């Protein structure tokens, strides 16, 4: 055989071997990825079931579960939830227990410290025995279903691909059984991200140490514009029982101490602690929601229509799962026929409808947290002139691949001391004088928060799921402790309504003209303690208002300050735009409801544009400035002129805020949301206000004209670099993109190859801050990337529930490369929705797979 022929054979053999290796590797990789995918057909035996349960899944993998009794229904929901998203459930329970470091290593120690200090899981443990017996029964049934899945799966690698990746760092990880407390603890995460006025209270305390006067600080927190952007309820819809008598002092009682080096360090430490908690649902101006309901007298169907799209952090898998829970025969023993959106790890439906009523939620954002400046000496703190022992406990944080981290949690009568979590407090500076005597102490900051006392929100979820009328709905709302939400209501009988629920503290005011809770309070004086909670019957509500529709989009609930809910609403641009669109439509159709959800008009922009067009600029900048002429504020993602105009406007807005508020610390710099729109509007009426002056230019005092021009010029240069020199070719969507990231595998620091397995990136979106299609971005951060948005959309047709529509932001599955991991993303991005079958006939017609869950069969003897 010739050498050439032999060489050719060797090359051919190597090629065959390489192909076989690639094919073999691919087969192994596919096998590893697919081994955790759920079984969706055939029959499975599930421990604890008393009768068979049917699980129909549609083309998007959304389950409809049919059972004969409530325990079997929730046991099956637990099993199916674990099939789809067990890793997400496991991750959430580790976060809420302050045990994330056990999964992912030392990078999460700071997060664990803060959550252990607040004691989320400890509160959930206290909450469980206080819930209604049937609630505890449903939670246990759900947990039993999850544990049946864990037992069947056998090992973490067969539950999710994430465990296979994590095993390289944490090979000894074992999955623990699920418990009802694991479900309840997630409600604390919801309450944390959706609470109101926590960061601003600390931010004001930080600013009080600067050279800015209280007047200048107060300019950054303007009152809600009730005449321009209407509250949820008019005076005709709801009247408070009586105006409250708010006592007040001459100035913030703790201001002198806040301005001290020691007090300021404590506040800075507390703020750092708060920021260490990951945004589980989201935070910032974009974290809100739209929800509105229209009476049948104003709809094309003759029955109410209800829309909802909660604005939360966007990740993959998304926040929500979709489910349809049905008792085959509705009875007192099995009262559920409900469908909608829920959280993985939590039984029941959080937002949706049953066969009689529908409900939606937006964040009410009440002020349910207060920070107290505490005078701590050793193991005691000052309280009404006497030293009171701190309550202390030891915690140990276990770290995957690292040493245990012990911490000591200290608490006062107000709550846990958050400033302890950041060690800088130990090196704080000066001492201060209190009650005329020098104190050998250091200041600390404690947190009072309504969610740190046991509540009944879990009871409320099941009560909502069973509600058959307005009276039932209000009884359910009365159980809704935290997070406090605007609840909108509609029923098949034709009624609509609104109810504000939740535990809202009653406290005294801090200063004349300022609302309660505006500043951290002096913890050493009990007169500043909470005085209880607003009675449920005093909270705003309305039923069948004359206007024929109710709009909630995080704006003020009423023009009245009684009862006091918060001072820091969303400033209402989204809400007013929805109201305008509804009022202009004589008969609202389901299609109109969906169109409104996708509205991209920036209603604030035209007023600012008028000022921007009056500024004289150079020819190069003027090429972009002309884009703003005849622009109506629309911010679409397309190749239209409007999209180019939106790109330039948002760049100008970003730089205008940066140049105006350049002295603010980065952690409290303007995010560009609705509050800053009102702030800027007021400042433009005062062109010589001190905020306009650039302190880095000594000897020169800038006014509004100079800052407006600088913003126009810099935005032109920025977009020329980013999008090209020709303004007409610019497109908002090229700047304004969403990266859907996995919370663990998609995070910074993870190898890019692993990230690419789990993330879905570069999704171009329209909309923006304070726009109905609220794909928000943060003006204080580099770029224009989307930080939050509509986490789902739904429109419920109370005239024909099967005609309702819904869409999720990602997909039903938590398994990457499963067909349903991201199969709703494109429709969601385009503001398209899918059919939402509810009746048994509609579900059967839409069914793509059917799984039967049955009780275990007795073992046969040989």
């Amino acid at each position: 055989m010739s050498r050439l022929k032999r060489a050719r054979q060797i090359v051919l053999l190597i090629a065959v071997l390489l192909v076989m290796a690639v094919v073999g590797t691919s087969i192994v990789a596919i096998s590893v990825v697919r081994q955790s995918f759920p079984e969706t057909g055939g029959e499975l035996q599930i421990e604890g079931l008393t009768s068979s349960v049917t699980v129909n899944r549609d083309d998007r993998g959304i389950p409809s579960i049919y059972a004969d009794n409530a325990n079997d229904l929730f046991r099956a929901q637990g099993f199916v939830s674990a099939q789809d998203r067990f890793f997400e459930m496991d991750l959430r329970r580790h976060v809420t227990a302050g045990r994330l470091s056990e999964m992912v290593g030392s990078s999460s120690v700071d997060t664990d410290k803060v959550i252990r200090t607040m004691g989320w899981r400890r509160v959930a443990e206290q909450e469980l025995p206080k819930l209604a017996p049937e609630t505890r029964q449903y939670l246990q049934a759900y947990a039993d279903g999850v544990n049946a899945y864990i037992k069947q799966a056998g090992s973490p690698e067969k539950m999710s691909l994430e465990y296979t990746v994590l095993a390289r760092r944490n090979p000894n990880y074992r999955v623990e059984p699920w418990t009802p407390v694991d479900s309840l603890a997630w409600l604390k995460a919801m309450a944390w991200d959706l609470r109101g006025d926590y960061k601003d209270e600390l931010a004001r305390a930080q600013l009080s140490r600067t050279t800015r006067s209280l007047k200048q600080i107060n300019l950054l927190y303007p009152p809600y514009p009730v005449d321009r952007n209407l509250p949820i309820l008019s005076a005709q819809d709801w009247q408070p029982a009586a105006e409250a008598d708010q006592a007040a002092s001459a100035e913030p009682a703790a201001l002198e101490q806040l301005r001290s080096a020691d007090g300021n360090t404590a506040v800075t430490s507390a703020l750092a602690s708060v920021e260490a908690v990951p945004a589980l649902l989201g935070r910032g101006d974009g974290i809100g929601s739209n929800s509105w309901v229209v009476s049948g007298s104003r709809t094309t169907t003759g029955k109410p229509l209800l829309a909802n799209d909660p604005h939360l952090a966007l990740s993959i898998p998304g926040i929500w799962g979709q489910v349809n829970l049905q008792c085959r025969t509705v009875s007192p023993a099995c009262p559920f026929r409900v469908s909608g959106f829920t959280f993985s790890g939590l039984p029941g439906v959080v937002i949706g409808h049953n066969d009689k009523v529908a409900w939606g939620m937006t964040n009410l954002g009440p002020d349910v947290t207060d920070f107290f400046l505490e005078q701590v000496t050793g193991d005691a703190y000052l309280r009404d002139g006497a030293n009171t022992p701190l309550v202390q406990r030891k915690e140990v944080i276990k770290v995957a691949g690292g040493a245990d981290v012990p911490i000591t949690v200290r608490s006062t009568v107000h709550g846990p001391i958050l400033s302890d979590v950041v060690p800088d407090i130990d090196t704080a500076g000066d001492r201060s004088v209190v009650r005329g005597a020098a104190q050998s102490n250091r200041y600390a900051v404690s947190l009072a928060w309504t969610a740190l006392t046991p509540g009944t929100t879990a009871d409320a979820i099941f009560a909502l799921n069973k509600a058959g009328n307005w009276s039932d709905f209000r009884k359910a709302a009365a159980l809704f402790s935290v997070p406090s939400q605007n609840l909108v209501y509609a029923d098949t009988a034709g009624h609509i309504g609104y109810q504000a629920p939740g535990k809202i503290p009653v406290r005294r005011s801090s200063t004349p003209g300022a609302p309660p809770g505006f500043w951290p309070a002096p913890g050493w004086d009990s007169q500043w303690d909470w005085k209880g909670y607003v009675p449920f019957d005093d909270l705003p509500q309305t039923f069948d208002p004359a206007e024929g529709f109710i709009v909630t989009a995080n704006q003020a609930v009423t023009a009245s300050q009684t009862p006091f809910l918060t001072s820091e609403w969303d400033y209402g641009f989204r809400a007013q735009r929805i109201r305008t669109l509804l009022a202009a439509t004589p008969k609202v159709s389901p299609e109109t409801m969906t169109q409104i959800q996708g509205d991209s008009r920036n209603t604030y922009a035209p007023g600012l544009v008028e000022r921007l067009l009056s500024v004289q600029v150079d020819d190069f900048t003027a090429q972009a400035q002309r884009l703003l002429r005849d622009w109506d504020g629309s911010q679409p993602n397309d190749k239209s002129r409007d999209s180019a105009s939106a790109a330039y406007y948002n760049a100008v807005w970003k730089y205008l805020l940066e140049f105006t508020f350049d002295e603010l610390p980065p952690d409290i710099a303007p995010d560009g949301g609705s509050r800053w729109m009102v702030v800027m509007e007021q400042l433009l009426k005062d062109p010589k206000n001190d905020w306009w002056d650039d302190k880095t230019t000594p000897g020169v005092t800038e006014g509004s004209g100079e800052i407006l021009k600088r913003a126009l010029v810099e935005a032109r240069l920025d977009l020329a670099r980013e999008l090209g020199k020709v303004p007409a070719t610019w497109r908002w969507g090229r700047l304004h993109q969403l990266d859907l990231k996995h919370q663990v595998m998609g995070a910074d620091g993870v190898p890019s190859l692993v990230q690419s397995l789990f993330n879905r990136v570069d999704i171009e979106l329209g909309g923006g801050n304070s726009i109905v299609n609220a794909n928000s971005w943060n003006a204080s951060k580099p770029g224009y990337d989307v930080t939050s948005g509509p986490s789902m959309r739904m429109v419920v047709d109370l005239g024909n529930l099967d005609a309702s529509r819904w869409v999720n932001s990602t997909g039903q599955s938590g398994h990457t490369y499963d067909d349903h991991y991201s199969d709703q993303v494109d429709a969601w991005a385009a503001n398209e929705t899918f059919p939402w079958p509810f009746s048994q006939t509609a579900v059967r017609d839409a069914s793509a797979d059917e799984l039967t869950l049955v009780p275990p069969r007795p073992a046969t003897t040989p």
Side-chain angles (χ1 to χ4, degrees):
M1 183 182 294
S2 68
R3 290 183 178 179
L4 180 59
K5 187 174 181 180
R6 186 179 293 112
R8 286 175 178 171
Q9 288 180 334
I10 292 172
V11 170
L12 180 60
L13 177 61
I14 292 173
V16 170
L17 290 173
L18 286 173
V19 170
M20 290 176 65
V22 170
V23 171
T25 302
S26 299
I27 291 172
V28 170
I30 292 171
S31 176
V32 169
V33 170
R34 293 185 63 87
Q35 68 177 338
S36 60
F37 288 6
E39 293 185 52
T40 60
E43 182 179 283
L44 290 176
Q45 297 181 40
I46 304 298
E47 290 188 5
L49 287 180
T50 61
S51 61
S52 68
V53 176
T54 302
V55 182
N56 295 111
R57 290 181 183 263
D58 66 10
D59 288 338
R60 283 163 294 285
I62 300 168
S64 291
I65 303 173
Y66 293 88
D68 292 328
N69 60 73
N71 283 345
D72 281 353
L73 186 67
F74 293 115
R75 188 173 286 107
Q77 187 188 7
F79 182 84
V80 171
S81 296
Q83 277 189 310
D84 285 340
R85 297 204 185 178
F86 182 74
F87 179 81
E88 181 185 27
M89 294 165 60
D90 200 17
L91 174 68
R92 286 176 174 179
R93 68 168 165 177
H94 277 79
V95 170
T96 56
R99 296 174 54 196
L100 187 57
S101 300
E102 292 181 23
M103 290 186 80
V104 303
S106 60
S107 62
S108 295
V109 168
D110 286 345
T111 294
D112 286 344
K113 284 181 179 179
V114 180
I115 292 175
R116 291 283 188 99
T117 297
M118 286 190 282
W120 290 1
R121 187 176 177 87
R122 289 169 59 88
V123 178
E125 289 170 347
Q126 298 165 18
E127 198 164 274
L128 181 62
K130 298 178 183 296
L131 296 174
E134 61 269 22
T135 298
R136 299 198 302 270
Q137 189 175 334
Y138 300 154
L139 287 165
Q140 186 60 59
Y142 185 91
D144 291 344
V146 176
N147 290 329
Y149 167 80
I150 294 172
K151 184 176 181 180
Q152 285 196 6
S155 66
E157 292 80 7
K158 293 182 179 179
M159 298 179 190
S160 191
L161 180 61
E162 288 91 333
Y163 291 116
T164 301
V165 178
L166 284 175
R168 299 175 65 87
R169 181 187 305 172
N170 189 5
N172 298 318
Y173 181 78
R174 295 293 179 267
V175 172
E176 298 174 357
W178 191 264
T179 72
V181 174
D182 294 328
S183 297
L184 291 178
W186 180 244
L187 297 176
K188 303 305 168 188
M190 291 170 56
W192 178 251
D193 274 1
L194 299 179
R195 72 208 179 283
D197 183 35
Y198 79 98
K199 186 174 179 180
D200 288 332
E201 188 175 327
L202 293 176
R204 284 186 288 268
Q206 270 192 310
L207 289 172
S208 72
R209 186 161 170 79
T210 70
T211 57
R212 294 290 184 179
S213 67
L214 287 182
K215 180 180 178 181
Q216 287 296 96
I217 293 172
N218 287 337
L219 281 175
L220 304 184
Y221 301 91
Y224 183 87
V226 292
D227 295 331
R228 171 181 179 175
N229 296 334
L230 298 182
I232 295 172
L233 304 183
S234 68
Q236 179 182 357
D237 292 332
W238 184 82
Q239 287 286 343
E243 292 294 330
D245 181 18
Q246 301 275 4
S249 63
E251 67 174 44
L255 186 55
E256 181 181 347
Q257 290 76 20
L258 290 169
R259 283 175 166 162
S260 72
D262 196 28
N264 187 67
T265 302
V267 167
T268 301
S269 298
L271 185 58
S273 299
V274 164
E275 290 298 291
V277 181
L280 301 170
L281 274 73
R283 62 171 66 109
D285 177 81
I287 306 309
S289 302
N290 302 321
S291 190
W292 66 94
V293 61
V294 184
S295 172
S297 64
R298 297 183 59 100
T299 69
T300 58
T301 66
K303 291 286 188 177
L305 297 171
L306 186 149
N308 198 185
D309 54 282
H311 307 153
L312 303 171
L314 299 171
S315 60
I316 192 165
I319 289 290
W320 301 103
Q322 294 157 277
V323 71
N324 185 7
L325 299 171
Q326 304 255 3
C327 294
R328 291 191 179 103
T329 301
V330 174
S331 67
C334 197
F336 298 100
R337 188 164 286 170
V338 61
S339 186
F341 294 86
T342 192
F343 295 112
S344 299
L346 190 67
V349 168
V350 177
I351 296 174
H353 70 82
N354 59 32
D355 56 348
K356 292 184 176 65
V357 309
W359 64 95
M361 299 183 188
T362 64
N363 193 21
L364 194 153
D367 187 355
V368 294
T369 59
D370 272 335
F371 292 94
F372 287 85
L373 198 62
E374 308 281 8
Q375 301 217 30
V376 177
T377 304
D379 291 334
Y381 65 103
L382 190 65
R383 176 82 170 156
D384 291 335
N387 281 329
T388 301
L390 290 163
V391 177
Q392 303 188 60
R393 70 176 189 271
K394 302 290 186 181
E395 299 267 357
V396 177
I397 299 171
K398 296 187 178 297
V399 182
D404 292 353
V405 178
I407 65 171
T408 300
V409 178
R410 305 190 301 169
S411 299
T412 72
V413 67
H414 303 113
I417 295 178
L418 282 192
S419 53
D420 276 356
V421 183
V422 177
D424 289 348
I425 186 61
D426 294 334
T427 59
D430 61 1
R431 304 293 179 267
S432 64
V433 175
V434 177
R435 296 184 182 273
Q439 301 292 309
S440 175
N441 74 322
R442 297 188 188 279
Y443 285 116
V445 177
S446 64
L447 169 70
W449 177 33
T450 55
L452 295 183
T453 56
T456 54
T457 299
D459 287 336
I461 291 172
F462 294 112
L464 282 173
N465 288 189
K466 296 184 293 185
N469 53 43
W470 174 244
S471 176
D472 291 345
F473 179 80
R474 291 200 70 224
K475 289 175 183 176
L479 298 169
F480 212 106
S481 306
V482 293
S484 185
Q485 300 288 288
N486 295 305
L487 298 177
V488 294
Y489 167 93
D491 63 34
T492 56
H495 303 292
I496 64 172
Y498 165 87
Q499 177 68 59
K503 294 172 66 174
I504 315 295
V506 176
R507 74 269 266 187
R508 64 173 293 171
S509 178
S510 58
T511 181
F518 201 70
W519 300 91
W524 52 86
D525 189 342
S526 62
Q527 70 172 321
W528 298 100
D529 292 355
W530 290 353
K531 312 303 180 186
Y533 300 100
V534 177
F536 178 75
D537 286 341
D538 290 347
L539 292 172
Q541 57 96 9
T542 191
F543 184 63
D544 286 340
E547 193 171 23
F549 61 82
I550 304 166
V551 176
T552 78
N554 319 113
Q555 79 272 39
V557 175
T558 72
S560 171
Q561 286 290 299
T562 305
F564 177 76
L565 301 176
T566 186
S567 61
E568 297 177 22
W569 313 100
D570 177 274
Y571 282 74
F573 296 99
R574 283 183 288 115
Q576 194 61 31
R577 175 62 175 167
I578 295 167
R579 290 184 58 86
T580 298
L581 292 171
L582 290 174
T585 308
K587 292 289 184 179
V588 179
S589 67
E591 293 75 21
T592 303
M593 301 283 276
T594 297
Q595 289 166 8
I596 293 174
Q597 287 180 324
D599 184 76
S600 68
R601 181 79 61 87
N602 184 334
T603 58
Y604 171 80
L608 178 57
V609 164
E610 185 177 349
R611 293 296 302 271
L612 294 173
L613 290 174
S614 68
V615 178
Q616 296 295 316
V617 294
D618 60 81
D619 289 343
F620 183 70
T621 304
Q623 293 173 6
Q625 187 187 39
R626 284 192 288 271
L627 287 172
L628 302 179
R629 294 178 184 171
D630 304 319
W631 177 55
D632 67 0
S634 295
Q635 297 191 184
N637 169 35
D638 55 28
K639 296 181 179 179
S640 68
R641 184 184 185 279
D642 280 346
S643 187
S645 302
Y648 183 56
Y649 171 83
N650 281 283
V652 174
W653 175 240
K654 180 184 181 71
Y655 284 107
L656 179 60
L657 292 171
E658 179 182 327
F659 296 151
T660 305
F661 301 105
D662 54 310
E663 295 171 70
L664 293 180
D667 53 350
I668 57 176
D671 61 13
S674 63
R675 173 163 68 91
W676 294 101
M677 294 174 180
V678 177
V679 170
M680 185 59 67
E681 194 171 59
Q682 297 305 309
L683 284 180
L684 286 169
K685 297 175 183 177
D686 185 6
K688 297 299 182 182
N689 190 283
D690 192 48
W691 280 112
W692 293 115
D693 184 32
D694 183 352
K695 302 302 183 184
T696 65
T697 56
V700 179
T701 302
E702 288 85 0
S704 61
E706 291 89 342
I707 301 302
L708 288 167
K709 182 175 181 177
R710 192 183 297 178
L712 286 161
V713 170
E714 189 60 36
R716 172 62 166 113
L717 294 170
D718 184 19
L719 296 196
R721 291 187 293 265
E722 292 291 324
L723 303 179
K725 293 184 178 180
V726 182
T729 65
W730 295 345
R731 185 155 48 83
W732 176 226
R734 288 180 58 198
L735 289 174
H736 191 232
Q737 296 189 5
L738 169 66
D739 288 345
L740 288 169
K741 293 184 177 182
H742 190 284
Q743 281 189 292
V744 175
M745 298 303 163
D748 294 339
V750 175
S752 57
L753 178 60
V754 174
Q755 290 188 38
S756 68
L757 293 175
F758 293 92
N759 293 350
R760 302 293 181 267
V761 299
D762 301 332
I763 302 166
E764 297 186 0
L765 297 175
N769 294 334
S770 294
I771 290 171
V772 179
N773 190 17
N775 297 310
S776 301
W777 58 283
N778 191 329
S780 70
K781 305 296 183 184
Y784 305 84
D785 291 342
V786 175
T787 55
S788 63
S791 54
M792 61 81 160
R793 296 186 183 96
M794 74 176 197
V795 174
V796 182
D797 183 345
L798 277 299
N800 178 7
L801 292 171
D802 284 332
S804 302
R805 309 280 297 187
W806 61 353
V807 68
N808 210 341
S809 58
T810 56
Q812 179 67 14
S813 176
H815 301 283
T816 186
Y817 291 103
D818 183 278
D819 290 343
H820 307 303
Y821 184 65
S822 58
D823 60 340
Q824 298 185 52
V825 171
D826 291 343
W828 169 84
N831 190 41
E832 297 171 354
T833 55
F834 297 104
W836 183 355
F838 180 68
S839 70
Q840 190 166 2
T841 299
V843 169
R844 188 185 305 113
D845 291 344
S847 180
D849 294 289
E850 182 170 299
L851 173 68
T852 302
L853 306 178
V854 298
R857 296 185 179 90
T860 57
T861 56

